[in-house]
């Protein structure tokens, strides 16, 4: 009797810096918004609002500290991929965990994308297209370039016999 | 062998139908407003409506121009490999569709078309959001010739299709009538529709129109005379007000019911589902006649749908998700889900007899339904339970501490919903189930509390399996899975199966994916 789950490969650890960077920008923007909102509210003399906004900003910064270190570790632990008997498994998510299974014969085409941060870190994202509707495209990000290229070639070789 | 070539132009009736269509649209938009403007006299709240009239008139003229250009420039031709269409003066538009890529060929005829013996032929391929090529309109003989040619040159079906609009059929391979829907069945279909909704929508439409376009003075006088007549009638006939309202309600319901029945009959009159070789054909419609044909392997998902009323009567609707698109005429025939109606009504028992015809390779024995663990009840009810608890706690605290009212137990009202929530979760769990048919050809999923549906997904159509686990799921050791197929974007692909125990669930998705990998998915064969 086989085990129901395949062995998952982790992503490239460098992806954590990528996530931290992109999250920090978003988080920082929100914190700034609350902080500036608080200052502004204080200037025009609204009574309780500035304190509330600063409170939110402080909590937000605390949460971000948690997110940037602990949460991203968790996300890294939970993300991964596996190639099992010509089926590609991709999983991600911390609280809501999503796993997608792609039988390779369903693969229509693959994109390999690299954003500026990814280029800097030596990472790449694979986008896998199927003929489906609801979940027609799958993304697997956070692979090292070499891994991504190797995986892409393997997927194409395995799935390429028919598609359409 | 010289390549055969069929070519042609649109039928002159195109122009007549275009003009009449424009007149019909004018009757719908411009004329009523103008009529009200003229008849309503000074009470008419004019300017804006006149602008609308002007704009729609302009639009109508423009569409007449387009129709002319289209008629004079449109040509089509077919050779052994592709269908080509061309149109346009300044912007020339040329389209080539490889014959092997054609999914579905539809013929549609409204009353006018039938008068002139012409039809609109629509050719669909996978992936498009509408008809890929629309020959609207060509003569019926041309349409027949074209269809015969298209089917003859698609390697899958060597047969010349039977085609029963008004021409005598000439089938080469026998045409099997799978299902003919009788008038009685159509009446039942109309009766068991949600005619309450139809009635409300109709009423709402009338009221909206009156409010929008009738002059204020006419509105109030209409209301006044209506009220006076009603009160006069009430006092003279001795019917109480409550009974009067009940009677009006009944009248609206009966009208809705009648409209539903008539609409169903108009749409699906003479419905016939036939099979010629690998192709399924549907023909239906009293005034507007539709004939469409699709290879049966293009059925991506089959849905057996039963509303409570229909379950009570023991009938079901059969819907299909196909890889072609239904956007053009799908709206009327597939109201709610976007799935195309395959058979508008048949008894639940007849469905099982029909299935092997639609999904070849399906075993004839009835499926072995795998029950879902009762943990699913808890999973279904827990989020709502927490919400109710938090809500009642918060409300009670608010009432007792902040408002200081002795009525704080009112805050416990949300708790009343709890038993219903658990009961509904139990019902939903009892209905939930999955089965793998025969040698893993097909996944069946059934779900729903009031509106129940059973989905059949041939594994060769499966594209991606998505497994989701929420924090609740993980605590109880459950997972939810969603199988995605090619086909309609509207319907979201295949069905969802909720709250399967983890161990069993992972085993299921793994074997589904492997089986899907083994069975090749092909657009053509």
């Amino acid at each position: 009797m086989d085990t129901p789950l395949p062995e998952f490969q982790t992503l490239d650890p460098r992806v954590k810096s990528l996530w931290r960077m992109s999250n920090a920008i978003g988080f920082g923007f929100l914190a700034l918004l609350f902080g500036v909102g608080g200052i502004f509210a204080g200037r025009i003399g609204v009574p309780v609002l500035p304190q509330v906004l600063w409170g939110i900003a402080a909590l937000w910064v605390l949460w971000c500290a948690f997110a940037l270190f602990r949460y991203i570790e968790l996300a890294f632990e939970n993300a991964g991929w596996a190639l099992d008997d010509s089926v590609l498994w991709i999983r991600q998510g911390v609280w809501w965990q999503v796993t997608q299974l792609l039988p390779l014969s369903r693969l229509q085409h693959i994109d390999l994308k690299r954003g500026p941060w990814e280029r800097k870190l030596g990472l790449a994202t694979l986008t896998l297209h199927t003929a489906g509707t609801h979940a027609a495209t799958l993304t697997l990000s956070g692979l090292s370039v070499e891994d991504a290229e190797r995986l892409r070639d393997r997927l194409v070789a395995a799935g390429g016999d028919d598609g359409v | 062998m010289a390549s055969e070539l069929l070519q042609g132009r649109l039928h002159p009736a195109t122009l007549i139908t275009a003009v009449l269509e424009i007149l019909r649209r004018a009757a719908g938009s411009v004329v009523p407003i103008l009529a009200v403007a003229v008849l309503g006299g000074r009470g008419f709240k004019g300017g804006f409506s006149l602008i609308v009239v002007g704009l729609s008139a302009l639009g109508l003229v423009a569409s007449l121009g387009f129709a002319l250009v289209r008629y004079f420039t449109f040509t089509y031709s077919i050779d052994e490999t592709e269908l080509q269409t061309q149109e346009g003066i300044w912007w020339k538009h040329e389209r080539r569709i490889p014959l092997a890529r054609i999914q579905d060929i539809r013929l549609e005829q409204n009353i006018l078309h039938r008068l002139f013996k012409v039809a609109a032929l629509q050719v669909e391929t996978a992936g498009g959001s509408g008809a890929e090529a629309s020959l609207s309109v060509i003569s019926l003989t041309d349409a027949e010739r074209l269809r015969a040619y298209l089917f003859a040159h698609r390697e899958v079906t060597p047969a010349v299709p039977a085609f029963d609009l008004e021409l005598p059929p000439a089938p080469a391979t026998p045409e099997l009538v799978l299902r003919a829907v009788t008038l009685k069945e159509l009446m039942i279909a109309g009766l068991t529709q949600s005619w309450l909704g139809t009635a409300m929508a109709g009423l709402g439409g009338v009221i909206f129109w009156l409010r929008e376009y009738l002059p204020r003075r006419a509105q109030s006088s209409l209301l006044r005379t209506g009220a006076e007549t009603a009160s006069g009638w009430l006092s003279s006939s001795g019917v109480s007000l409550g009974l009067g309202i009940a009677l009006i309600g009944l009248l609206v319901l009966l009208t809705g019911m009648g409209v539903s029945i008539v609409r169903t009959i108009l749409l699906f009159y003479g419905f016939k589902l036939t099979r010629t070789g690998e192709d399924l054909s549907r023909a239906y419609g009293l005034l507007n006649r539709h004939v469409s044909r699709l290879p049966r392997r293009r059925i991506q998902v089959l849905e057996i749908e039963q509303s409570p009323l229909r379950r009570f009567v023991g009938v079901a609707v059969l819907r299909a998700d196909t890889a072609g698109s239904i956007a053009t005429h799908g709206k009327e025939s597939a109201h709610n889900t976007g799935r195309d109606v395959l058979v508008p009504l048949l008894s639940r028992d007849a469905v099982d007899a029909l299935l092997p015809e639609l999904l070849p390779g399906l075993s004839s024995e009835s499926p072995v339904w795998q029950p879902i663990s009762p943990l699913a009840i808890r999973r279904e009810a827990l989020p709502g339970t927490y919400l109710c608890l938090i809500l009642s706690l918060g409300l009670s605290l608010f009432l007792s501490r902040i408002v200081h009212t002795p009525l704080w137990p009112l805050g416990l009202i949300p708790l009343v919903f709890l038993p219903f929530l658990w009961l509904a979760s139990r019902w939903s769990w009892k209905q939930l189930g999955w089965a793998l048919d025969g040698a893993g050809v097909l996944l069946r999923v059934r779900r729903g509390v009031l509106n129940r549906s059973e989905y059949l997904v041939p594994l060769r159509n499966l594209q991606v399996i998505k497994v989701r686990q929420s924090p609740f799921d993980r605590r109880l050791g459950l997972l939810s899975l969603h199988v995605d197929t090619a086909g309609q974007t509207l319907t979201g692909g295949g069905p969802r199966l909720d709250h399967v125990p983890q161990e069993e669930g992972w085993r299921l998705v793994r074997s589904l994916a492997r089986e899907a990998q083994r069975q090749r998915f092909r657009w053509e064969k």
Side-chain angles (χ1 to χ4, degrees), chain B residues 319-387:
Chain B
R319 291 175 186 277
D321 226 356
T322 59
S325 74
I326 52 154
T328 42
H329 95 160
K331 278 183 211 134
E332 46 181 5
S333 60
H335 341 243
N336 41 8
T337 58
R339 284 201 172 89
D340 216 4
V341 171
L342 205 60
V343 182
L345 191 93
L346 72 174
S347 76
R348 184 63 188 82
D349 304 330
V351 174
D352 294 328
L354 190 59
L355 287 180
E357 286 286 346
L358 303 176
L359 302 169
L362 178 67
S363 73
S364 53
E365 64 226 48
S366 47
V368 184
W369 288 105
Q370 307 289 320
I372 303 285
S373 140
L375 281 175
I377 306 177
R378 260 163 75 187
R379 168 63 185 81
E380 189 82 20
L382 267 183
T385 307
Y386 286 142
L387 190 73

Side-chain angles (χ1 to χ4, degrees), chain B residues 190-257:
Chain B
L191 258 178
T192 52
Q193 224 175 34
S194 61
W195 30 263
L196 192 64
T198 312
M200 288 303 160
L203 204 66
V206 169
I207 290 174
F208 177 78
W209 195 88
L210 288 178
R211 276 187 60 103
E212 196 69 0
Y213 292 121
L214 219 58
R216 190 84 25 92
R217 209 166 349 132
Q219 274 183 32
S220 55
S221 74
L222 189 74
L223 213 64
R224 203 164 338 105
T225 33
E228 274 164 16
T229 337
S231 69
W233 183 74
L234 275 178
S235 59
S236 67
S237 63
V239 183
S240 72
L241 184 67
L243 193 63
I245 289 175
L247 277 177
I248 291 176
L250 195 67
L251 197 71
V252 170
L253 275 188
L254 284 178
T255 318
M257 206 192 280

Side-chain angles (χ1 to χ4, degrees), chain B residues 78-96:
Chain B
I78 305 182
D79 61 17
E80 277 160 338
T81 51
E82 57 185 19
L83 168 70
Q84 252 189 61
T85 63
Q86 272 182 325
E87 67 179 301
I89 303 176
W90 295 300
W91 286 273
K92 288 210 190 284
H93 194 103
E94 184 182 317
R95 183 167 271 179
R96 291 157 182 253

Side-chain angles (χ1 to χ4, degrees), chain B residues 101-104 106 122-126 130-132 324-326 328:
Chain B
R101 284 278 181 276
I102 292 175
Q103 292 268 353
D104 190 355
R106 300 171 183 277
Q122 260 141 26
V123 174
E124 290 179 2
T125 62
E132 203 72 8
S325 74
I326 52 154
T328 42

